[in-house]
Structures are given as C-alpha cells and as structure tokens.
Amino acid sequence: MARTPLLAGNWKMHKDHLEAIQLVQQVVYHLDERDYERSEIVVIPPFTALRSIQTLIDGDRLHIGLGAQHCHYEDAGAFTGEISPAMLAKLAVRYVVCGHSERRHVFGEDDETINRKVRAVLAHDMRPILCVGETDEERERGQAKEVVARQVQRGLEGVDVDRADDIVLAYEPVWAIGTGKTATPSDADEMCGFGRNQLADVFGEDAAQRIRVQYGGSVKPGNVAELMRQEQIDGALVGGASLQADDFAAICRYHRM
Ligand code: PGA
C-alpha cells in the first residue's frame, strides 16, 4: 500500500515571524515538483509565525502545508495563554502536533489531555500528529513497547474509524530527540511497525495500513534516506535539522540521494 511520505519540520520555540518567512523562502528555493510529488512537506512554526507563513504559502502558491505545535482542546474560554483549534483552523493549519515528548515531560501533559486535543483537532477538520515514544529509562527497563502501546491506545480513545485516515502517528524515542542519537533504521522500523499494530487494534488492519507513521529523533540529511527506505517508516518529524534551510531541503530531497 503506497502511503505518501510526510516530512514535517517542528521548529519548536525558534524563529520570530520574520526569520520564519526567510526560512520558508530558502527551503522552497531548493525544492521542485519531484519533491512535492514524492512527499507532503509541512512546516510547523511557533504560533506567532503562523499567520505570516500562511500568507506566504497562499500568496506564492507554495506546495507546502502548515502545522501547529500545540493547542487547547476547548474552542474558546477563560484559558489565558492558550490557543484553540478553531483559531488554528481559521489559519488554514492542516496538522497539529499532539503529545510531543516536550509537552508530556516538560509541561506534564497526560494521555487524557492529549486524547482530548486529538479529538478537538479532528473536530475542526485538521489532522493530529500523535507523538509517542519511550524514555531512556523505560527502554532500559524493557518497557518501550508497553509505553508506546499505552500512548497510542489512550491517545486515540473515542476516535471514529472514519477519521483514521486523518491521523498521523509519530514514533519519537525520547532519548533520540535533540541528542544526536538516532534509533538504528531497523529499530526505528520495528517500533514504527509496532505502532502500526496498535493502530490496527484501534481501527482495524485496513485502516492501519493507510495511516502514516513517522519516525522522529535526530533525523538529519545524512540518515534520512536510510530511515525512509524502511518499510514501516512513512516520513520524518524533524526538529533541529528543520531550522537550517539547507538541511531541511536536503531531507525533503531524500529520494534523490
Ligand atoms: P530533533 O527533534 O530532530 O531535534 O531530535 C525531533 C522532535 O522533537 O520532533
């Protein structure tokens, strides 16, 4: 089954709106039809740059999509400092990252909160990128699969099978994020395959075969091609390397290497 690869750059808390415009312009300068036909390419800037990037994508008819890093699960209300999925949908945001390990571990988001966000994002016709992955200690204790199974199952509770195609799963081992340590391609493949088995438990085998599973954690121009050759890996969620135009463009051109 051919799944369109999804290459997404999660900029985290980097780039003001002017730097963001420049970065997108530099990235697309290096890309052409071959890349856009091969993969779906998405940038995920901070909230303050969403409007600027949306305008740039629209005005220049760029073939890239827009994502957001986070949202609240309510549409509106007294939640100082939060952004709602309704607001993101108005900005033509296509993807919202839910349950990134930094949200789980630095900001204490639990599976229940993440599940509410996933459902809220879907309710606004956007697509959640549900991030899952074990910490170093969990891996050492042999609990990697147990953790991933729980995060997938609980993160997707109550999601209708009709919406399965709008889900993206990102397997990101916490020990590989921003550390320069990447899972070996075969380990990454095995864990992405395990994530897909969990999706099959939730939605059935057919739907699970259509859902894209990304790998994330120190993806770079030098390792992306081999990761993308793995059967169970349908894309990359890229942090650090997405902040350098040359690197992110090279990642998007992985199939030409
Ligand atoms: P990294 O981050 O590529 O810098 O390891 C990945 C992520 O956090 O999604």
Side-chain angles (χ1 to χ4, degrees):
M1 153 110 27
R3 297 177 289 259
T4 305
L6 176 63
L7 302 169
N10 169 19
W11 297 358
K12 310 192 180 185
M13 198 172 72
H14 296 285
K15 307 287 178 191
D16 64 35
H17 73 288
L18 298 173
E19 293 165 333
I21 291 169
Q22 197 179 28
L23 178 54
V24 169
Q25 285 170 330
Q26 288 168 341
V27 168
V28 298
Y29 180 80
H30 296 290
L31 303 181
D32 64 33
E33 292 311 316
R34 287 172 289 177
D35 310 305
Y36 301 128
E37 275 162 20
R38 168 66 64 121
S39 318
E40 191 179 347
I41 296 167
V42 170
V43 292
I44 312 180
F47 289 136
T48 48
L50 285 175
R51 174 67 173 148
S52 313
I53 303 294
Q54 181 225 356
T55 308
L56 179 65
I57 290 174
D58 257 19
D60 287 0
R61 299 181 196 284
L62 303 181
H63 300 281
I64 61 170
L66 190 57
Q69 298 176 17
H70 166 68
C71 68
H72 197 271
Y73 45 77
E74 296 288 351
D75 278 357
F79 300 104
T80 301
E82 290 292 314
I83 300 287
S84 81
M87 295 167 181
L88 296 177
K90 274 261 156 103
L91 284 171
V93 164
R94 201 184 291 166
Y95 292 91
V96 184
V97 177
C98 297
H100 189 276
S101 73
E102 286 143 24
R103 301 299 316 176
R104 292 179 191 267
H105 299 292
V106 183
F107 299 100
E109 282 184 17
D110 59 14
D111 287 317
E112 193 196 326
T113 310
I114 293 161
N115 175 251
R116 292 172 86 162
K117 289 177 200 232
V118 165
R119 287 185 287 142
V121 166
L122 288 168
H124 286 277
D125 282 328
M126 298 179 291
R127 298 168 171 183
I129 299 178
L130 174 63
C131 299
V132 301
E134 79 286 359
T135 63
D136 216 359
E137 300 82 70
E138 288 161 342
R139 173 153 279 246
E140 293 289 302
R141 288 200 295 264
Q143 294 171 334
K145 289 189 173 164
E146 191 184 310
V147 168
V148 167
R150 190 200 71 227
Q151 291 175 339
V152 174
Q153 307 255 357
R154 305 226 359 226
L156 295 173
E157 236 162 59
V159 174
D160 199 283
V161 63
D162 290 352
R163 303 305 304 276
D165 291 3
D166 291 323
I167 307 283
V168 177
L169 184 67
Y171 168 65
E172 299 203 299
V174 180
W175 48 270
I177 295 179
T179 57
K181 289 191 225 165
T182 328
T184 63
S186 68
D187 273 357
D189 191 47
E190 188 193 338
M191 288 303 289
C192 289
F194 179 78
R196 192 180 311 284
N197 294 340
Q198 301 310 304
L199 293 170
D201 265 12
V202 178
F203 296 124
E205 187 58 38
D206 282 359
Q209 286 303 323
R210 294 194 305 268
I211 297 176
R212 289 171 297 174
V213 181
Q214 296 177 300
Y215 168 77
S218 298
V219 175
K220 303 268 182 292
N223 59 20
V224 64
E226 204 186 343
L227 287 162
M228 292 299 293
R229 269 197 293 274
Q230 309 302 311
E231 197 181 322
Q232 296 295 336
I233 300 180
D234 310 316
L237 187 54
V238 186
S242 70
L243 297 170
Q244 302 293 333
D246 287 357
D247 284 352
F248 190 59
I251 287 169
C252 297
R253 292 193 313 250
Y254 75 91
H255 57 101
R256 304 201 225 164
M257 287 176 190

